[in-house]
Amino acid sequence: MEGKSLLRFLFLMFGVLLLLVFTVFNLPYATPDKAELLDCTSTWCTSKNRFLKPHFLQDPPNPTRRHHSAVPHHPLDPLTVQEFNKIRTILSSHALFKSSPYALHSIVLQEPPKPLVLTWQKGDPLPPREASVVARVNGVSHVLTLNIDMSQVTRIDPGPLSGYPMMTMEDMTSATLAPLANADFNRTIIERGIDLTDLACLPISTGWFGKSEENRRLIKVQCFSMKGTANFYMRPIEGLTVLLDMDTKEVIQISDEGRNIPIPKAADTDYRFSTINAQQQMNLLNPISIEQPKGPSFTIEDHLVKWANWEFHLKPDPRAGVIISRAMVRDPGTGEMRNVMYKGFTSELFVPYMDPTDAWYFKTYMDAGEYGFGLQAMPLDPLNDCPRNAYYMDGVFAAGDGTPYVRSNMICVFERYAGDIGWRHAESPITGMEIREVRPKVTLVVRMAASVANYDYIVDWEFQTDGLIRVKVGLSGILMVKGSPYVNMNQVNQQENLYGTLLSENVIGIIHDHYVTFHLDMDVDGTDNSFVNVNLKREQTSPAETPRRSYMKAVRNVARTEKDAQVKFKLYDPSEFHVINPSKKTRVGNPVGYKVVPAGTAASLLDPEDPPQKRGAFTNNQIWVTPYNQTEQWAGGLFAYQSQGWDTLATWSERDRPIENKDIVLWYTLGFHHVPCQEDFPIMPTVSSSFDLKPVNFFENNPILRIPPNVEKDLPNCKASASA
Amino acid sequence: MEGKSLLRFLFLMFGVLLLLVFTVFNLPYATPDKAELLDCTSTWCTSKNRFLKPHFLQDPPNPTRRHHSAVPHHPLDPLTVQEFNKIRTILSSHALFKSSPYALHSIVLQEPPKPLVLTWQKGDPLPPREASVVARVNGVSHVLTLNIDMSQVTRIDPGPLSGYPMMTMEDMTSATLAPLANADFNRTIIERGIDLTDLACLPISTGWFGKSEENRRLIKVQCFSMKGTANFYMRPIEGLTVLLDMDTKEVIQISDEGRNIPIPKAADTDYRFSTINAQQQMNLLNPISIEQPKGPSFTIEDHLVKWANWEFHLKPDPRAGVIISRAMVRDPGTGEMRNVMYKGFTSELFVPYMDPTDAWYFKTYMDAGEYGFGLQAMPLDPLNDCPRNAYYMDGVFAAGDGTPYVRSNMICVFERYAGDIGWRHAESPITGMEIREVRPKVTLVVRMAASVANYDYIVDWEFQTDGLIRVKVGLSGILMVKGSPYVNMNQVNQQENLYGTLLSENVIGIIHDHYVTFHLDMDVDGTDNSFVNVNLKREQTSPAETPRRSYMKAVRNVARTEKDAQVKFKLYDPSEFHVINPSKKTRVGNPVGYKVVPAGTAASLLDPEDPPQKRGAFTNNQIWVTPYNQTEQWAGGLFAYQSQGWDTLATWSERDRPIENKDIVLWYTLGFHHVPCQEDFPIMPTVSSSFDLKPVNFFENNPILRIPPNVEKDLPNCKASASA
């Protein structure tokens, strides 16, 4: 055994040992005994404390990086290291946690009531700092509210009736090791000719399909061979599924159905540049960069971002990833900052795979509620994930024992100039006037990238000076593939359903969907808004009236209740979707508003009664509108893990509450159908889609009418760097 | 009268005089007597010859700018100045043009037959150079083919039965002046309190609505006041429409119905930066630029563009704007250049306005076939229309008398880095592996911007190294607005239909659509291709089989004939649309292909029997596929002006010809519904949509697997310029 393999083996064995200890003592949860602040930048809590590491491109170091001494300055600022530590102290002395082992599945700021946040101004004392904690104690889930200032647990709720909290990172990592404690599992691995040291396993949420997934917190583990490649995802040990009790780590069942399926080859699967030999490297392009010699045009104070005519609060969140709050844009006429959106974030993801067979049917992920979309957001790679001119923001989260840790460079913020045009007009030869007025488009991008095991989701919030917010989701990373006996399509009977595409010898990319549901608490010039479906429909005319037979008319329908605002898009029955403030009108009398503008999207084709679709019922429509309710944040329910679909956006909306001239929340689902193709192997080029929030009669006129064009003298002088 | 107004008045009077001369002598067409090469850079042929003007950012000057000595080097290279001059000589000695005045509506290269182009290689002699000329002689249209080398007219066709050729620039400019020769017209203008010197008029294609638009080439003229603003479009003289015979310039009818409607105010309509006072200018941002210190990664020889793994032929066209030909991408495995697309261009636009009243019903523009999408493409504004690192290409077109002129900087080509990600993967905390591999995305953009009177269309062809081609259309410029007595919506009865949005006092932005139809002659690894509708549909399962109730299945349907390939998109009955080469398979046996990937689009809601929709019937589906036919280039027919819809893509497709395993052409229509909003006043921020041509099992695997990441040492050293 070579040195590296030996190390891996020892590490693995240590894990197994640790697990055995846990199992024997029936202590599935770590107790809060670590005091140090970990920086889980690169690997999960195996690296040393690096929370004061060098700051990328920040000179002088940005104060937000001083996490140990950070204090909140805004009612929405996330919990600080000191606050996390205080919470640990409060909890450790609380009766609930005294006698029992426990795990803390989520510790986040309990945001103050919206009216308090809205009236708070810089300089005011902060509203009481509260935390919301989701804990599992002896197999029971609790939702606690803590007053941090008063060092008190103020409230304990049982949480939803069905489902479990988001997994902790410890849940996930320990699940991948648990099968190794099972002799049958080890035997089948060895019988397949795989070295235990080459094993890489993934924790796969089981979903819920009926009684067998009830009353027990379950997880399935599937494994891969990482021999010869870092891209073990392309080497599945097909058909082998281990069902575990996630609390006890007990192996409940081993399903072993793929013994006839070879493990696909490792060759040509590694994507790391270091593994590609020099002759094969493709240097197609000269260096190119976005340059801002006078520095960026934005400032970030703690979590408050100010750029051009925009201002918003930005924070990392373990479940949502990125939360944008209090987005306001300056009115060019009056100079005032006007409210656009109180809160916007990725509420849930739903990723059903389209293979009903034993080892695949349950793969119907809810990446935020099960895995933590923010927990999976890894440090961004400067110069590649974000351009050179980016600013980076860290996340501070808590481990399962409550210990805070830093996820450095989790979010980046940068100005983008992509060579696009903000507005233009040239007079044509028809009029012969000498006019050519063009304004370049520069935007501000807030980005994170979450790696939920194989897949990478890139989420961009892009702010434009014309008031538009574009929310873009990019998909990259690695496909979840299935082992297959086939090496060529000519071996496949026409009648046979592969459930996907043969991507390489013995590798099938399974068809799947991605749905990303956004919570968009729009507050257009105030909290009380209405949702208007501006329906575009054919109007027939009479011959006496006009030589035309038809035209298209816009008919405004204000939604009275939630069911009026359940929208499925139709190309031939189109609408615009406006959130307006019915109490505020423009100079010429149009209600001020923002519209949601879809781009490419996809809709779920699953049977609405299919258990995964019931759990993911928030994707049944592309748009929903609900009255604001601080408890309705997560479209798949607070406890999405093994949820049964009782607590989703769809069930809330069925209550059909009034939404006219109320504080309302718009929900938008961006969808992708993904039929894999060979270009996605072994790692997929980014595929993106987006939607826009766009001012519609919000401003009196074009808000960027008065911005200047680019002129040569303002642009930088650049030269190739010395090393060129 | 101040000096400027006096000048304008004199110019106007000169025009009127000229027109009178024309009318008296019944000579509507200029005879080819001008020998000089005009550069119509800024105004229509009023500026001096500047064809050797300084070259933007090209040092040394790019040889393509030496238009007077240019010779063709590729079978598809557009006609050169010398060739245009030769064509004029050939025509002037031809019997058809001897005795009569005439106008040349189009002179373009008659592209050699496709097999000749496909077999031609660099170094081979060029196939015979031919030109296609559309001429009107004594009120009759002719389509001529010329062999330039042999100085011969080889063929004369009458052209389609209905419709007229694209207008010449002279048609358009003379039409705007013609009403001034009419005393009734002048009287009504003066009665409305408008100085004749403040008048700006537009030539508006009449469309076809029945007998009254037959057997006579017509145009309607509507006018505006340019007093106090360059943005006269915002000051319509509402309800005044002059119907002209375009050949004789005779005023046929004056419709004068809007005398009660005030001309909207000029204040706050001018968009020119020079008119905005210094205090009001909004300097929101520090300078930002895309920089490439080692220069661009592309080369352009004449019209051949080579960049990264792409190669294609690029040329300006008076009707299509930009034509991309012979697009080929390098296979990273074999190193060979592989055919993707033989020819791609904007075939037609259809822009119906949604107001059936007298002064508006006929506004149903076909911008390419009526006005010339390329003729209207004005010089791009360096640093604003395109980034600093752009290369510019000129167009060389012919005036109505055959004289060549240069439209400088009509197309730009630039590399774009927008901070986006080509592909990425980071290992998540779940596996704990130290991997973070990210590749930046750099693309090549080919851009033009056409100003069809008020509107500006930005057309981008964007090439990605992963083999994807994105075709993006941006809409900016100025709305076509309607004068209204209303200054506030509170004056408007709820039942009244404004046909649009009140944008400012007395200004209504009329609802309209934009359809842009692309001709995409795909040649995926060869000419013979098939169109496959990969339909995604719900498959119900049985309880015995799986805990799932349903999944989504991909069913491949190969289109046998044209009607199989008439596609309307449906969100709940989705498909992928592949163009495959059935004779060429990947290593694992998938047919190689490209798919067209829609993003946001819109479909026409007009009655299919409405005359405008019959003429624009090419928008009845989002996708069509036809067998290759060199005469089927223009989706609205060769003669789109006053066409009756007999010669459109829809009529061709109804022949239902076989298309399986044939040389096929894919047609894609990108649509926009535009309900104007106040932000569009007085000039609209760009709205864009796009579609993609994306490799699907075309490559054996990810074609950009082996590109390197960015590293700091390769990036430029920049400093603010000296003037900072």
Side-chain angles (χ1 to χ4, degrees):
Chain A
M1 201 181 277
E2 35 170 351
K4 214 168 130 198
S5 291
L6 182 67
L7 259 175
R8 273 216 300 265
F9 182 77
L10 287 176
F11 179 72
L12 207 72
M13 284 301 105
F14 173 73
V16 174
L17 202 72
L18 206 68
L19 198 77
L20 286 173
V21 170
F22 278 168
T23 313
V24 168
F25 290 88
N26 192 19
L27 288 169
Y29 308 107
T31 45
D33 53 2
K34 285 178 281 174
E36 92 191 272
L37 180 63
L38 295 176
D39 177 4
C40 294
T41 302
S42 316
T43 65
W44 174 246
C45 299
T46 57
S47 52
K48 288 279 162 216
N49 180 343
R50 306 188 249 168
F51 73 90
L52 280 175
K53 63 186 302 201
H55 305 157
F56 284 116
L57 310 167
Q58 292 299 330
D59 193 14
N62 189 290
T64 60
R65 299 295 179 111
R66 291 194 211 102
H67 299 291
H68 59 305
S69 60
V71 288
H73 289 109
H74 186 285
L76 300 175
D77 278 354
L79 296 174
T80 63
V81 167
Q82 291 180 4
E83 287 175 328
F84 276 115
N85 287 330
K86 195 159 177 193
I87 289 163
R88 286 178 66 215
T89 310
I90 299 167
L91 293 180
S92 63
S93 64
H94 191 274
L96 185 62
F97 302 93
K98 270 270 148 91
S99 52
S100 312
Y102 60 89
L104 304 172
H105 288 251
S106 165
I107 307 177
V108 293
L109 177 77
Q110 171 71 35
E111 292 188 355
K114 195 164 162 180
L116 283 188
V117 178
L118 289 171
T119 52
W120 182 87
Q121 294 195 316
K122 196 174 172 175
D124 291 351
L126 290 185
R129 294 285 287 177
E130 296 189 302
S132 175
V133 176
V134 176
R136 296 250 313 152
V137 187
N138 273 337
V140 180
S141 304
H142 305 271
V143 181
L144 295 89
T145 309
L146 276 75
N147 185 312
I148 304 172
D149 307 322
M150 294 163 60
S151 295
Q152 249 182 7
V153 175
T154 53
R155 190 169 165 168
I156 305 185
D157 293 308
L161 285 177
S162 80
Y164 298 104
M166 200 168 82
M167 287 183 279
T168 62
M169 288 307 313
E170 293 80 356
D171 281 335
M172 299 178 223
T173 46
S174 62
T176 64
L177 299 173
L180 288 165
N182 183 290
D184 290 340
F185 174 82
N186 291 354
R187 194 177 313 118
T188 190
I189 294 296
I190 290 160
E191 280 171 12
R192 293 211 194 196
I194 297 158
D195 214 72
L196 283 174
T197 57
D198 286 327
L199 213 58
C201 299
L202 294 180
I204 301 175
S205 53
T206 55
W208 165 81
F209 291 87
K211 288 236 172 300
S212 60
E213 282 86 17
E214 286 174 24
N215 304 319
R216 204 165 182 184
R217 203 161 70 103
L218 300 169
I219 190 143
K220 288 182 172 172
V221 178
Q222 294 187 336
C223 302
F224 303 80
S225 166
M226 54 180 166
K227 189 170 182 180
T229 182
N231 191 353
F232 61 83
Y233 301 102
M234 291 300 113
R235 307 202 70 203
I237 301 170
E238 193 53 48
L240 178 64
T241 309
V242 181
L243 178 66
L244 286 180
D245 181 305
M246 208 172 357
D247 285 332
T248 64
K249 298 296 173 310
E250 176 199 345
V251 173
I252 298 172
Q253 192 191 352
I254 298 179
S255 178
D256 189 7
E257 299 192 346
R259 284 169 177 261
N260 61 326
I261 299 174
I263 295 185
K265 64 181 179 188
D268 301 324
T269 62
D270 211 322
Y271 50 87
R272 291 172 300 171
F273 197 65
S274 60
T275 67
I276 292 166
N277 73 49
Q279 289 105 39
Q280 290 214 303
Q281 292 171 7
M282 286 172 33
N283 277 292
L284 300 170
L285 304 170
N286 287 342
I288 185 166
S289 177
I290 301 176
E291 294 294 331
Q292 292 179 288
K294 294 187 190 170
S297 317
F298 59 84
T299 61
I300 303 184
E301 268 183 57
D302 297 322
H303 293 272
L304 206 61
V305 182
K306 294 182 182 180
W307 172 76
N309 46 353
W310 279 101
E311 179 181 318
F312 56 90
H313 187 274
L314 167 64
K315 69 176 161 188
D317 182 82
R319 182 162 180 172
V322 163
I323 296 178
I324 306 284
S325 301
R326 302 238 55 205
M328 294 186 275
V329 65
R330 188 177 307 278
D331 190 286
T334 65
E336 66 169 328
M337 294 305 296
R338 296 172 61 187
N339 288 306
V340 174
M341 185 175 71
Y342 182 73
K343 193 174 180 183
F345 60 93
T346 310
S347 176
E348 191 52 276
L349 294 91
F350 177 46
V351 188
Y353 280 71
M354 300 302 176
D355 180 338
T357 61
D358 180 69
W360 281 82
Y361 76 89
F362 53 89
K363 293 177 184 173
T364 55
Y365 304 98
M366 286 164 71
D367 286 329
E370 293 177 340
Y371 292 86
F373 202 48
L375 290 184
Q376 312 299 335
M378 298 301 291
L380 295 161
D381 184 20
L383 303 186
N384 290 294
D385 269 324
C386 313
R388 194 188 209 181
N389 60 342
Y391 166 97
Y392 293 85
M393 185 181 280
D394 301 341
V396 179
F397 301 145
D401 64 357
T403 316
Y405 66 88
V406 174
R407 172 61 40 80
S408 58
N409 291 5
M410 176 183 156
I411 299 174
C412 74
V413 179
F414 63 92
E415 276 171 290
R416 179 201 324 260
Y417 171 57
D420 285 328
I421 298 169
W423 59 259
R424 87 180 304 280
H425 182 61
E427 275 299 317
S428 86
I430 300 171
T431 64
M433 293 166 77
E434 289 245 18
I435 293 181
R436 182 174 53 169
E437 290 276 337
V438 191
R439 301 294 179 272
K441 176 185 283 190
V442 179
T443 63
L444 185 79
V445 178
V446 173
R447 173 172 295 166
M448 65 156 249
S451 302
V452 191
N454 56 309
Y455 243 95
D456 291 54
Y457 293 89
I458 304 154
V459 180
D460 283 0
W461 288 82
E462 184 174 14
F463 295 82
Q464 298 189 177
T465 51
D466 62 7
L468 185 144
I469 305 173
R470 174 159 294 175
V471 184
K472 188 162 89 171
V473 176
L475 308 177
S476 187
I478 300 171
L479 289 174
M480 188 57 73
V481 303
K482 183 177 184 173
S484 162
Y486 300 124
V487 298
N488 194 292
M489 285 302 290
N490 60 22
Q491 303 169 311
V492 183
N493 186 305
Q494 276 228 316
Q495 303 312 309
E496 190 177 354
N497 189 349
L498 294 183
Y499 308 111
T501 308
L502 189 65
L503 301 179
S504 178
E505 289 80 2
N506 309 115
V507 177
I508 292 173
I510 298 295
I511 297 171
H512 56 281
D513 287 346
H514 298 267
Y515 298 98
V516 188
T517 298
F518 288 87
H519 172 113
L520 305 160
D521 181 357
M522 303 301 289
D523 276 10
V524 178
D525 267 337
T527 53
D528 287 352
N529 289 175
S530 292
F531 178 74
V532 185
N533 181 317
V534 182
N535 189 226
L536 302 177
K537 49 188 289 190
R538 181 193 301 171
E539 196 82 355
Q540 300 281 160
T541 57
S542 71
E545 195 185 339
T546 170
R548 283 276 281 273
R549 288 208 189 190
S550 63
Y551 65 97
M552 186 178 76
K553 185 178 172 181
V555 180
R556 298 172 68 89
N557 300 302
V558 177
R560 313 277 168 206
T561 63
E562 289 176 285
K563 287 189 184 175
D564 291 342
Q566 297 177 349
V567 177
K568 290 183 176 68
F569 298 152
K570 290 175 190 151
L571 186 63
Y572 281 90
D573 181 16
S575 291
E576 288 195 357
F577 307 101
H578 295 200
V579 174
I580 62 159
N581 186 327
S583 316
K584 178 130 189 260
K585 296 208 158 52
T586 61
R587 195 182 72 240
V588 297
N590 294 305
V592 300
Y594 257 72
K595 63 178 174 180
V596 58
V597 186
T601 193
S604 178
L605 301 183
L606 294 183
D607 185 332
E609 294 304 313
D610 201 349
Q613 189 60 40
K614 283 175 89 161
R615 300 175 63 227
F618 51 90
T619 64
N620 288 356
N621 295 297
Q622 286 78 54
I623 289 178
W624 315 71
V625 179
T626 58
Y628 174 80
N629 179 336
Q630 197 171 3
T631 68
E632 294 176 0
Q633 300 277 322
W634 309 107
L638 179 63
F639 286 4
Y641 200 94
Q642 272 169 263
S643 65
Q644 300 176 27
W646 299 348
D647 176 31
T648 74
L649 171 55
T651 55
W652 311 334
S653 172
E654 278 304 298
R655 293 165 61 191
D656 205 21
R657 294 162 290 186
I659 54 170
E660 187 180 359
N661 203 8
K662 301 249 179 252
D663 190 359
I664 56 177
V665 177
L666 178 73
W667 304 78
Y668 183 87
T669 295
L670 188 58
F672 299 84
H673 296 306
H674 190 174
V675 180
C677 59
Q678 288 182 233
E679 286 79 2
D680 297 338
F681 178 92
I683 192 163
M684 57 177 286
T686 309
V687 168
S688 299
S689 192
S690 64
F691 66 94
D692 295 341
L693 299 170
K694 187 172 192 288
V696 56
N697 304 316
F698 182 80
F699 296 111
E700 292 292 349
N701 53 22
N702 182 338
I704 51 169
L705 181 64
R706 306 196 310 252
I707 64 170
N710 272 339
V711 289
E712 181 71 26
K713 72 169 177 58
D714 285 342
L715 299 183
N717 280 329
C718 298
K719 55 177 193 225
S721 61
S723 62
Chain B
M1 199 182 275
E2 36 170 350
K4 215 168 130 198
S5 291
L6 181 66
L7 258 174
R8 272 213 304 261
F9 180 77
L10 288 175
F11 179 73
L12 208 70
M13 283 302 105
F14 173 73
V16 173
L17 203 70
L18 206 69
L19 198 77
L20 285 173
V21 170
F22 279 170
T23 311
V24 168
F25 290 87
N26 193 19
L27 289 168
Y29 307 107
T31 46
D33 55 0
K34 284 176 284 176
E36 92 192 272
L37 179 65
L38 295 176
D39 177 6
C40 292
T41 303
S42 316
T43 65
W44 175 244
C45 299
T46 57
S47 51
K48 288 279 163 215
N49 180 345
R50 305 187 250 171
F51 73 90
L52 281 176
K53 63 184 301 199
H55 305 155
F56 283 117
L57 311 168
Q58 292 300 329
D59 195 13
N62 189 289
T64 60
R65 298 296 179 110
R66 292 196 210 100
H67 300 291
H68 58 306
S69 61
V71 289
H73 290 110
H74 186 285
L76 300 175
D77 278 355
L79 297 174
T80 63
V81 167
Q82 291 180 4
E83 288 176 327
F84 275 115
N85 287 329
K86 194 160 178 193
I87 290 163
R88 285 179 65 214
T89 309
I90 300 169
L91 293 181
S92 62
S93 64
H94 190 275
L96 185 62
F97 302 94
K98 272 267 147 99
S99 52
S100 312
Y102 60 87
L104 304 172
H105 288 252
S106 165
I107 307 178
V108 292
L109 176 77
Q110 172 71 35
E111 293 188 356
K114 196 165 162 178
L116 284 188
V117 178
L118 289 172
T119 52
W120 181 87
Q121 292 195 316
K122 195 172 172 176
D124 291 352
L126 289 186
R129 293 286 287 178
E130 297 190 301
S132 176
V133 175
V134 176
R136 294 254 308 155
V137 187
N138 274 336
V140 179
S141 304
H142 304 271
V143 180
L144 296 88
T145 308
L146 277 75
N147 185 312
I148 304 171
D149 306 323
M150 295 164 61
S151 294
Q152 251 182 4
V153 174
T154 51
R155 189 169 167 168
I156 305 185
D157 294 308
L161 286 176
S162 80
Y164 298 104
M166 201 168 82
M167 287 184 277
T168 62
M169 289 307 314
E170 293 80 355
D171 281 336
M172 300 178 221
T173 47
S174 62
T176 63
L177 299 173
L180 287 164
N182 183 291
D184 289 342
F185 174 81
N186 290 355
R187 194 177 312 119
T188 189
I189 293 297
I190 290 160
E191 280 171 12
R192 293 210 195 196
I194 298 158
D195 214 70
L196 283 175
T197 57
D198 286 326
L199 212 57
C201 299
L202 294 180
I204 301 175
S205 53
T206 56
W208 166 81
F209 291 87
K211 289 236 173 300
S212 60
E213 282 86 16
E214 288 173 22
N215 304 319
R216 205 167 182 184
R217 204 161 68 103
L218 300 169
I219 191 144
K220 288 182 172 174
V221 178
Q222 294 188 335
C223 303
F224 304 79
S225 167
M226 54 178 166
K227 189 168 183 183
T229 181
N231 191 353
F232 60 84
Y233 301 101
M234 291 300 112
R235 306 202 69 202
I237 302 170
E238 192 53 48
L240 177 65
T241 309
V242 181
L243 177 65
L244 286 181
D245 182 306
M246 207 169 2
D247 286 332
T248 64
K249 298 298 170 317
E250 176 198 345
V251 171
I252 299 172
Q253 192 192 350
I254 298 178
S255 178
D256 189 8
E257 300 193 344
R259 284 168 176 261
N260 62 325
I261 299 173
I263 295 187
K265 63 180 181 190
D268 301 324
T269 62
D270 212 324
Y271 50 88
R272 291 172 301 171
F273 197 64
S274 59
T275 67
I276 292 166
N277 73 47
Q279 290 105 41
Q280 290 215 303
Q281 292 171 5
M282 285 172 33
N283 278 292
L284 300 171
L285 303 170
N286 287 343
I288 184 166
S289 179
I290 301 176
E291 295 294 331
Q292 292 179 287
K294 295 186 190 172
S297 318
F298 60 83
T299 62
I300 302 184
E301 269 184 58
D302 297 321
H303 293 273
L304 206 61
V305 182
K306 292 183 184 180
W307 172 77
N309 45 353
W310 280 101
E311 179 182 319
F312 56 91
H313 187 274
L314 167 65
K315 70 175 160 191
D317 182 83
R319 182 160 178 173
V322 164
I323 296 179
I324 306 284
S325 300
R326 303 236 55 206
M328 293 186 276
V329 65
R330 188 178 305 281
D331 190 287
T334 65
E336 65 169 328
M337 295 305 296
R338 296 172 61 188
N339 287 306
V340 174
M341 186 175 71
Y342 182 74
K343 193 173 181 183
F345 59 93
T346 310
S347 176
E348 192 51 278
L349 294 91
F350 177 47
V351 188
Y353 280 72
M354 301 302 175
D355 180 338
T357 61
D358 180 69
W360 282 81
Y361 76 90
F362 54 88
K363 294 179 183 170
T364 55
Y365 305 98
M366 285 162 72
D367 286 328
E370 293 177 341
Y371 292 86
F373 202 48
L375 291 183
Q376 312 298 336
M378 299 300 292
L380 295 161
D381 184 20
L383 303 187
N384 290 295
D385 269 323
C386 312
R388 193 190 208 180
N389 60 340
Y391 166 98
Y392 293 85
M393 184 181 281
D394 300 342
V396 179
F397 301 144
D401 63 357
T403 316
Y405 65 89
V406 174
R407 172 61 41 79
S408 59
N409 292 4
M410 177 184 154
I411 299 175
C412 74
V413 180
F414 63 91
E415 276 172 290
R416 182 205 318 262
Y417 171 57
D420 285 328
I421 298 169
W423 59 259
R424 87 180 303 281
H425 181 61
E427 277 298 316
S428 85
I430 299 171
T431 64
M433 292 166 78
E434 287 246 18
I435 294 182
R436 183 174 54 169
E437 290 277 335
V438 191
R439 301 295 178 271
K441 176 184 282 189
V442 180
T443 63
L444 184 81
V445 178
V446 173
R447 174 172 295 166
M448 64 156 251
S451 301
V452 191
N454 55 309
Y455 243 96
D456 292 53
Y457 293 90
I458 304 153
V459 179
D460 284 0
W461 289 82
E462 184 174 14
F463 294 82
Q464 297 189 178
T465 51
D466 62 6
L468 185 144
I469 304 174
R470 174 160 294 175
V471 184
K472 188 163 89 171
V473 176
L475 308 176
S476 186
I478 299 170
L479 288 174
M480 188 56 74
V481 303
K482 183 176 185 174
S484 161
Y486 300 124
V487 299
N488 193 293
M489 285 302 291
N490 60 22
Q491 302 168 312
V492 183
N493 185 306
Q494 274 228 316
Q495 302 314 308
E496 189 176 356
N497 189 350
L498 295 183
Y499 309 111
T501 308
L502 189 66
L503 301 179
S504 176
E505 288 79 3
N506 308 115
V507 178
I508 292 173
I510 299 295
I511 297 170
H512 57 281
D513 286 345
H514 298 266
Y515 298 97
V516 189
T517 298
F518 288 87
H519 172 112
L520 304 161
D521 181 358
M522 304 301 289
D523 276 10
V524 178
D525 266 337
T527 53
D528 287 352
N529 288 175
S530 293
F531 178 74
V532 186
N533 181 317
V534 182
N535 188 226
L536 301 176
K537 50 188 287 192
R538 181 193 301 170
E539 195 82 355
Q540 299 282 160
T541 56
S542 71
E545 196 186 339
T546 169
R548 282 277 278 275
R549 288 206 190 191
S550 63
Y551 66 97
M552 186 179 75
K553 186 178 172 181
V555 179
R556 297 172 69 88
N557 300 303
V558 178
R560 313 278 169 205
T561 62
E562 288 177 284
K563 286 189 184 177
D564 290 343
Q566 296 177 349
V567 177
K568 291 184 175 68
F569 298 150
K570 290 176 189 148
L571 185 62
Y572 280 91
D573 181 16
S575 291
E576 288 195 356
F577 307 102
H578 295 200
V579 174
I580 62 158
N581 186 326
S583 316
K584 179 134 188 256
K585 295 207 159 51
T586 60
R587 194 182 72 242
V588 296
N590 294 304
V592 299
Y594 257 72
K595 62 179 174 180
V596 56
V597 186
T601 193
S604 178
L605 301 183
L606 294 184
D607 186 332
E609 294 304 314
D610 202 348
Q613 189 59 40
K614 282 174 90 161
R615 300 176 64 227
F618 53 88
T619 63
N620 288 357
N621 295 298
Q622 286 79 55
I623 289 178
W624 314 71
V625 179
T626 58
Y628 174 79
N629 179 336
Q630 196 171 4
T631 69
E632 294 176 0
Q633 300 277 322
W634 309 108
L638 178 64
F639 286 3
Y641 201 93
Q642 273 170 262
S643 65
Q644 300 176 29
W646 298 348
D647 176 32
T648 73
L649 171 56
T651 56
W652 313 334
S653 171
E654 278 303 299
R655 294 165 61 193
D656 206 21
R657 295 162 289 185
I659 53 169
E660 187 180 358
N661 203 7
K662 302 247 179 255
D663 189 0
I664 55 176
V665 176
L666 178 74
W667 304 78
Y668 183 88
T669 295
L670 188 59
F672 299 85
H673 296 306
H674 190 174
V675 181
C677 59
Q678 287 182 233
E679 286 78 2
D680 298 336
F681 179 92
I683 192 163
M684 58 177 284
T686 309
V687 169
S688 300
S689 192
S690 64
F691 67 93
D692 295 340
L693 299 170
K694 187 172 191 289
V696 55
N697 304 317
F698 182 79
F699 296 111
E700 292 292 348
N701 52 23
N702 182 339
I704 50 168
L705 181 64
R706 306 194 310 250
I707 64 170
N710 272 337
V711 289
E712 181 71 26
K713 73 172 178 52
D714 286 341
L715 298 184
N717 280 330
C718 299
K719 54 175 193 235
S721 61
S723 61

